[in-house]
Amino acid sequence: MINGRFALAIHILSLLSMEEGVSSEYIASNININPVLVRKELSRLSKANLIITKEGKNGGSYLACSPKKITLADVYKATYEKPLFNHSKNTPNPQCPMGSKIGLIMEDVNKMAEAALLKKLKSISIEQFNK
Amino acid sequence: MINGRFALAIHILSLLSMEEGVSSEYIASNININPVLVRKELSRLSKANLIITKEGKNGGSYLACSPKKITLADVYKATYEKPLFNHSKNTPNPQCPMGSKIGLIMEDVNKMAEAALLKKLKSISIEQFNK
DNA sequence: ATGACTGTAATTAAAATTATTACAGTACAA
DNA sequence: TTGTACTGTAATAATTTTAATTACAGTCAT
C-alpha cells in the first residue's frame, strides 16, 4: 500500500551491511531498479546520517555506523515525511457533523498509529537481515 | 501515504454513529466525494459486518452494532487486504546477496508492523469520534 | 586531464487512485 | 403496477503518484 521506498531503503542498507563502498549502479543492478532512484534514496539516507557516501572516482556508500545500531524506525523516519494514513484533500462539507472534525481525528489517529509502528520498528535492526 | 480509504471508512462510520439510515448520496455530499466511492466503501464495510445497508426506496446504512464495539482495527481489516509496506515487483538479482532474501524479509517486517499497528488500532473505537 | 563516480533537474512512462457515467436490481408506497 | 428513491456494480476517464529515463554538472583519485 505504502510505496516501495521503505523496502528499497532496507534493501540498500542490508546490502551495505554486507558489501561496503559499492556504487549506486551496482546497488541498482542488484535490486533491479533504476540507479537514479537508488541515488535519491542514498541521498535521503545520507541526510539522516545512516550512511556516508563518497563522491568522485572510487566513490560509493558506507554505513555510517554498525548495522546493529540502525533500526527500522530510523529507516522509516528517513524515508517518509508524510503521515501514514492519507485523507482526501477535498474539504468536507463543514455543515456535516463530521466535516469539521475528520481532519483533527485523522491527525490524532496518525499520531497514535505512527507511534505504535515506530515503537515496533525500533526493535528491529538492519543487522539481522544480512545473515 | 496509504490511500484515503481508511479515512473515508472512519468518516462514514462516525457519521453513521450520529445519523443512521442515510443514503450514499447524502454521505458523499457531506464528505465531498463521489457517491460511487462511498457505495463501494459501504459495500466493504457491510461485508465485514460493520454496517447493514438496506436497498430500495428509503434505503440507507446503519451501524451493525454499537459504535463502542467498532474499533479502528476492524475498520483497517475491512478496508485493506494488501500488506502495509509494498516492495518493488521487479525481481531483484538472485546473485545479489540480498536479492533472494528481501521478499521474505519484507513479509516478516510487514507481519510485525501490522500486528503492532492493529494492536494499537484495536484500542480506538469509533464512538469517541462523534463527540 | 581523464575516467568513474555522485547529485539533481527535467521529462516520460506506468501504475494506482479517484471521479464519472450509466444502468440494472430492489423495495416502498401511492 | 407503476413511479420514485434507493443500492450495486461495471466500464471508462481523469487525475495523481510512483517509477524510469535521459542528461549533464560537480567531485575526486590517479
Side-chain angles (χ1 to χ4, degrees):
Chain A
M1 327 275 337
I2 278 194
N3 69 33
R5 296 222 324 266
F6 190 54
L8 172 57
I10 291 175
H11 199 147
I12 290 173
L13 290 166
S14 305
L15 198 56
L16 291 181
S17 80
M18 305 175 92
E19 308 185 70
E20 289 207 300
V22 292
S23 76
S24 64
E25 295 277 348
Y26 173 82
I27 297 173
S29 76
N30 272 340
I31 300 183
N32 191 13
I33 203 186
N34 193 283
V36 175
L37 297 183
V38 173
R39 286 187 214 135
K40 279 184 186 161
E41 204 55 47
L42 287 172
S43 156
R44 271 185 286 265
L45 294 172
S46 172
K47 273 172 195 144
N49 299 311
L50 299 180
I51 64 170
I52 290 164
T53 82
K54 254 178 65 189
E55 288 190 17
K57 185 163 181 183
N58 300 336
S61 299
Y62 302 78
L63 292 186
C65 62
S66 151
K68 218 177 271 196
K69 289 190 183 159
I70 301 180
T71 74
L72 293 193
D74 301 321
V75 181
Y76 184 93
K77 287 185 229 164
T79 309
Y80 299 123
E81 60 298 318
K82 292 192 216 151
L84 182 61
F85 294 112
N86 206 349
H87 69 280
S88 168
K89 48 234 103 286
N90 307 1
T91 52
N93 184 344
Q95 251 94 67
C96 162
M98 284 303 301
S100 51
K101 293 191 224 154
I102 189 70
L104 290 171
I105 289 173
M106 286 311 297
E107 253 182 56
D108 273 8
V109 169
N110 267 314
K111 259 181 219 156
M112 292 190 279
E114 282 169 19
L117 190 61
L118 284 173
K119 188 178 165 196
K120 183 66 189 179
L121 293 182
K122 200 171 176 184
S123 72
I124 307 169
S125 87
I126 284 297
E127 193 216 9
Q128 57 204 273
F129 299 146
N130 65 16
K131 304 272 164 50
Chain B
M1 328 279 331
I2 277 195
N3 70 32
R5 295 222 326 263
F6 189 55
L8 172 57
I10 291 175
H11 199 147
I12 290 174
L13 290 166
S14 306
L15 198 56
L16 290 182
S17 79
M18 305 175 91
E19 308 185 70
E20 288 206 301
V22 293
S23 75
S24 64
E25 294 278 347
Y26 173 83
I27 297 173
S29 78
N30 272 339
I31 299 182
N32 191 14
I33 203 185
N34 192 282
V36 175
L37 297 183
V38 173
R39 287 188 213 135
K40 279 185 186 162
E41 204 56 46
L42 288 172
S43 156
R44 270 185 285 264
L45 294 171
S46 173
K47 273 173 196 145
N49 299 311
L50 299 180
I51 66 170
I52 288 163
T53 83
K54 253 177 63 187
E55 288 191 16
K57 186 163 182 183
N58 299 335
S61 299
Y62 303 78
L63 291 186
C65 62
S66 152
K68 218 177 273 194
K69 289 189 184 161
I70 300 179
T71 74
L72 293 193
D74 301 321
V75 182
Y76 184 93
K77 286 185 231 165
T79 310
Y80 300 123
E81 59 299 317
K82 291 191 219 156
L84 182 61
F85 295 111
N86 206 350
H87 69 281
S88 170
K89 48 234 100 284
N90 307 0
T91 52
N93 183 343
Q95 251 95 68
C96 162
M98 285 302 300
S100 50
K101 294 194 223 151
I102 189 70
L104 290 171
I105 289 173
M106 286 311 297
E107 252 183 57
D108 273 7
V109 168
N110 267 314
K111 259 182 220 157
M112 292 189 278
E114 282 169 19
L117 189 61
L118 284 173
K119 188 178 166 194
K120 182 67 190 179
L121 293 181
K122 199 170 177 184
S123 72
I124 307 170
S125 88
I126 285 298
E127 192 215 12
Q128 57 204 275
F129 300 145
N130 65 15
K131 304 272 159 53

